[in-house]
Amino acid sequence: MTGGRRHRSNPIRLSPGDIMRDAARTIRSRPGRTVGLGLAVALGVATFVGVLSMSDAADRQVQRRIAAARPELVKLRPNVPSDGLFDDFGADVVERVDGTAGVRQSVVVHTYTDRAFRVRLGSDGEQVETGPVMGVEGDFVEATRSDTEGQGLDATTTAGRAHVAVVGGALADRIGLADPTTRPTIWVEGVPFMVIGLVTDSRYLSGAVDGVIIPRRTAIATLGEEVFDSTAYVRTERGSADTAAVALPLRLTPQAPERWAAEVPRVPIDVAEGISADLRNLSLAMAALVLFIGAVAIGNAMMRSVFERTPEIGLRRALGARSRHVLSLLVVEAALIGTVAGILGVVIGVVASLAVAGHNHWPITVSDWAVAVSVPGAMAVGALGGLPPAITAIRITPSQALRRE
Amino acid sequence: MSEALEPGQRGIVWKGVGLSYPGPPVVESLRPTDLGLEPGAYVAITGPSGSGKSTLLNVLGLLDRSTTGRFLLDGVDVTHCRDADQAELRARSFGFVFQRFHLLPTLSARENVELSLMYAGARPSERRDLAAAALERVGLSDRWSHRPTELSGGEQQRVAIARAIVRDQQFLLADEPTGSLDSRTAASVLDLLESLASDGRGVIHVTHNESVAHRASRRLHVLDGVVSEGDR
């Protein structure tokens, strides 16, 4: 035997249509396996879309809360108190402050700081030491965001010299004052005041709940005008406090704005935004983990499926299928399952995230980019998951594959 | 055993072809064999279980790769060709029929036959025509749309035979094709194989059954991986 010619191959290329039809037929022919595989991916994608959408919704909620906490208060004090006199601010301070752009309400609070006051309910009540006693002018309730029972002190009430008082809720408990609507009388250092209301809580002037608040002019007339701390509480529109803090000193004394110290109390927005970013990163990590688990699950399921189909693969090889034909069939099958499951997963994820957002009264949010990447991502996960078993399958010789039952 | 076949002629020529698996211990499934098989031969391969009959058939049909010797197919040395080339040669020259039919249960009879043509690169319309002709050749022209589960064992084996001849393959390799059939159905399948051989196609048929083997024009006997010419 002298030998023969070497064989030269004539590569056969299957059309994409053939591969797709063959893969689709195989998928349809094994509904149980297809549903099992698809569910693994669909749940992965649903979790991916759901987690990111819910994270977006939660993030927006955090942002909403941050926006709600944007500064709305300016505390204005004389930089160098003159002599501790009431007229640091001038007589028409409230009118001038209230006319400033962005300002909603204001109140000037003068607090006696030189001595303790004693108070009793009625002429024979137990005498106790009060918290701060304050003479105010302006809309005390709104400017300090105070909750009241009965009547509060507003601009009209505080403009006169009436002997009326609003008592802090804690102090009222101590002196046995329960119902302000009966207009009881309290005695402060022997001076009678008619109680018109209680301050049960105050966001910006927490000391008020243990104190006595009376009109400024009444305070001057009855308790004296020396040694106090004067502060204007100016409540602005949300986010306007910084601007108002600059404008107010100019408004009060255009020739000497440095006379005033304007302070804007802040909530820790930077920290809140940091927490929001951490939340988002955590969600992304969780979503990536879920997707990875999905890829492993589909790979594992495909491995079992390919193992079961080994005789079929052997038959296809015997009929002339090249390794790449088998490879493309298995990968396209897995990618098709991934694609359909991805679409299903997006629907489930969107519905779930809308339901959760609705239930928690969060902003309705669907993560656009999560939806956009999910279907191609699921297709890629399917294809990648199907690749290792497909490679394993084409390494088996046709005769070995045919022998497996 | 190369008989009258020489290199360059159509058919199969083996020179010292064998198959062993590395050990230890080394297992020689097929001892080095010289063999010539011309197209149109009806050859029966006999031997006890585990003797190497199926191994011989697998190496002949390029389902397994020999580890020694030279393999010429139609005068072309295919011993060391790549997997893809082997797949192409396998598809062009050999049709396979198995004891358990190996039909894809989700495809119709015609689609099962067409599958072989898909891997030959035939166009869909061409596949349909050729598959219909092959099914007609095996007597199943009226059963083309049925799935394997809707066909009897004999009909399923005929579909498998149609698949094995649809590309006008030179050799039909049948591994115990009647092993799962009753005697009457088996006889009709054997008649079909005989008629295909008389059409000029090489039919190589592994069987345990002596009476079946006697229908062949040539007989090879395998024992412990050694191939010898058997009695007619």
Side-chain angles (χ1 to χ4, degrees):
Chain A
M1 189 180 289
T2 54
R5 305 181 309 277
R6 293 273 174 191
H7 174 72
R8 290 281 175 269
S9 67
N10 172 31
I12 300 295
R13 294 192 188 283
L14 297 187
S15 71
D18 277 336
I19 295 172
M20 292 291 282
R21 270 192 298 275
D22 203 10
R25 203 161 43 194
T26 309
I27 289 169
R28 282 201 308 270
S29 69
R30 296 176 171 82
R33 181 188 69 100
T34 303
V35 168
L37 270 176
L39 271 183
V41 179
L43 289 178
V45 170
T47 312
F48 180 73
V49 173
V51 164
L52 289 182
S53 293
M54 287 177 216
S55 158
D56 267 7
D59 189 48
R60 286 201 183 187
Q61 179 66 5
V62 169
Q63 294 301 331
R64 187 189 268 183
R65 287 189 189 282
I66 289 172
R70 278 185 302 166
E72 59 162 0
L73 182 74
V74 181
K75 288 166 81 172
L76 198 65
R77 283 194 178 90
N79 227 345
V80 183
S82 50
D83 294 318
L85 296 178
F86 265 92
D87 59 358
D88 272 345
F89 283 89
D92 58 347
V93 58
V94 173
E95 286 78 3
R96 281 185 290 153
V97 167
D98 284 354
T100 308
V103 171
R104 292 174 63 183
Q105 299 93 16
S106 68
V107 63
V108 181
V109 179
H110 307 277
T111 308
Y112 289 92
T113 55
D114 63 326
R115 55 201 149 129
F117 289 89
R118 286 162 301 169
V119 62
R120 68 168 190 268
L121 177 63
S123 53
D124 54 355
E126 185 190 353
Q127 191 156 266
V128 302
E129 194 167 298
T130 71
V133 174
M134 305 170 217
V136 303
E137 182 176 7
D139 193 340
F140 173 82
V141 174
E142 290 299 322
T144 59
R145 290 188 66 176
S146 298
D147 296 332
T148 57
E149 210 176 288
Q151 191 179 338
L153 286 172
D154 56 18
T156 310
T157 325
T158 58
R161 293 172 188 244
H163 278 222
V164 292
V166 169
V167 177
L171 177 63
D173 288 343
R174 286 199 285 134
I175 62 176
L177 195 166
D179 182 8
T181 59
T182 60
R183 301 286 169 105
T185 301
I186 59 166
W187 296 76
V188 180
E189 296 297 331
V191 180
F193 292 91
M194 181 175 70
V195 178
I196 60 171
L198 302 180
V199 179
T200 53
D201 190 23
S202 179
R203 178 161 185 167
Y204 295 133
L205 189 56
S206 56
V209 295
D210 200 38
V212 178
I213 303 118
I214 56 180
R216 166 181 172 265
R217 288 171 198 272
T218 312
I220 292 171
T222 58
L223 304 175
E225 60 180 299
E226 292 183 351
V227 193
F228 48 77
D229 169 80
S230 296
T231 303
Y233 290 80
V234 182
R235 191 172 161 203
T236 68
E237 303 292 344
R238 285 274 174 211
S240 297
D242 287 315
T243 311
V246 174
L248 284 169
L250 285 165
R251 176 91 178 171
L252 291 178
T253 51
Q255 70 286 6
E258 69 280 0
R259 191 179 159 196
W260 305 97
E263 179 200 349
V264 179
R266 295 187 182 280
V267 294
I269 289 178
D270 290 347
V271 174
E273 285 176 345
I275 291 168
S276 179
D278 288 346
L279 192 71
R280 171 166 283 275
N281 290 339
L282 180 69
S283 302
L284 275 173
M286 278 173 62
L289 182 67
V290 164
L291 216 58
F292 174 73
I293 292 168
V296 171
I298 197 170
N300 185 41
M302 280 296 292
M303 188 68 88
R304 276 189 282 115
S305 162
V306 167
F307 186 77
E308 287 165 12
R309 293 170 61 192
T310 305
E312 178 198 323
I313 291 164
L315 173 76
R316 288 175 181 272
R317 301 286 304 277
L319 295 180
R322 280 58 157 178
S323 299
R324 62 190 158 81
H325 295 155
V326 174
L327 195 70
S328 56
L329 172 69
L330 296 176
V331 170
V332 167
E333 262 182 51
L336 276 177
I337 292 173
T339 305
V340 175
I343 294 168
L344 181 68
V346 165
V347 172
I348 295 172
V350 166
V351 169
S353 54
L354 292 182
V356 170
H359 183 258
N360 290 295
H361 306 291
W362 291 349
I364 301 294
T365 305
V366 173
S367 172
D368 294 345
W369 77 268
V371 170
V373 303
S374 280
V375 176
M379 187 177 76
V381 163
L384 288 175
L387 198 57
I391 290 172
T392 305
I394 60 172
R395 284 187 177 150
I396 306 171
T397 67
S399 64
Q400 283 175 326
L402 282 163
R403 273 198 295 272
R404 284 198 190 159
E405 289 293 338
Chain B
M1 282 182 292
S2 58
E3 295 200 330
L5 201 63
E6 293 298 331
Q9 286 184 260
R10 277 175 59 74
I12 294 168
V13 175
W14 277 14
K15 190 70 179 174
V17 169
L19 173 62
S20 58
Y21 295 99
V26 174
V27 177
E28 278 199 296
S29 294
L30 183 65
R31 304 216 178 229
T33 303
D34 292 346
L35 184 66
L37 293 169
E38 69 277 23
Y42 185 9
V43 181
I45 299 174
T46 59
S49 293
S51 60
K53 300 187 298 295
S54 293
T55 303
L56 172 61
L57 200 73
N58 288 339
V59 177
L60 273 172
L62 298 172
L63 292 175
D64 260 338
R65 198 183 270 278
S66 60
T67 50
T68 59
R70 297 182 67 205
F71 188 143
L72 300 182
L73 180 63
D74 294 340
V76 177
D77 190 344
V78 299
T79 316
H80 301 295
C81 64
R82 297 176 308 148
D83 283 350
D85 298 337
Q86 278 211 342
E88 183 203 333
L89 290 166
R90 192 159 57 228
R92 193 179 68 197
S93 303
F94 301 105
F96 298 92
V97 177
F98 306 98
Q99 181 177 351
R100 296 192 181 179
F101 321 134
H102 277 297
L103 299 176
L104 298 190
T106 56
L107 304 186
S108 68
R110 194 184 73 193
E111 287 168 336
N112 265 288
V113 178
E114 282 184 26
L115 196 60
S116 173
L117 292 162
M118 185 177 85
Y119 292 121
R123 291 190 307 274
S125 60
E126 191 183 358
R127 287 181 218 162
R128 276 193 296 276
D129 294 344
L130 289 171
L135 285 168
E136 190 174 353
R137 175 70 183 84
V138 300
L140 287 177
S141 53
D142 58 337
R143 308 284 278 166
W144 63 269
S145 62
H146 291 249
R147 292 194 175 190
T149 49
E150 298 162 344
L151 299 171
S152 70
E155 286 173 327
Q156 289 186 57
Q157 197 58 298
R158 282 170 183 272
V159 174
I161 292 170
R163 185 178 63 192
I165 62 170
V166 69
R167 296 173 65 182
D168 204 19
Q169 292 96 323
Q170 202 178 153
F171 289 96
L172 189 155
L173 308 183
D175 194 353
E176 300 275 8
T178 57
S180 303
L181 305 176
D182 61 62
S183 57
R184 198 162 136 250
T185 311
S188 74
V189 168
L190 290 171
D191 289 345
L192 178 60
L193 292 178
E194 215 168 79
S195 94
L196 291 170
S198 66
D199 288 349
R201 192 183 312 270
V203 175
I204 302 166
H205 178 178
V206 167
T207 181
H208 273 107
N209 190 314
E210 284 297 320
S211 62
V212 169
H214 274 102
R215 296 176 70 153
S217 56
R218 183 179 171 194
R219 187 168 171 181
L220 297 174
H221 188 73
V222 187
L223 184 63
D224 296 334
V226 176
V227 182
S228 58
E229 208 68 41
D231 298 331
R232 299 262 170 100

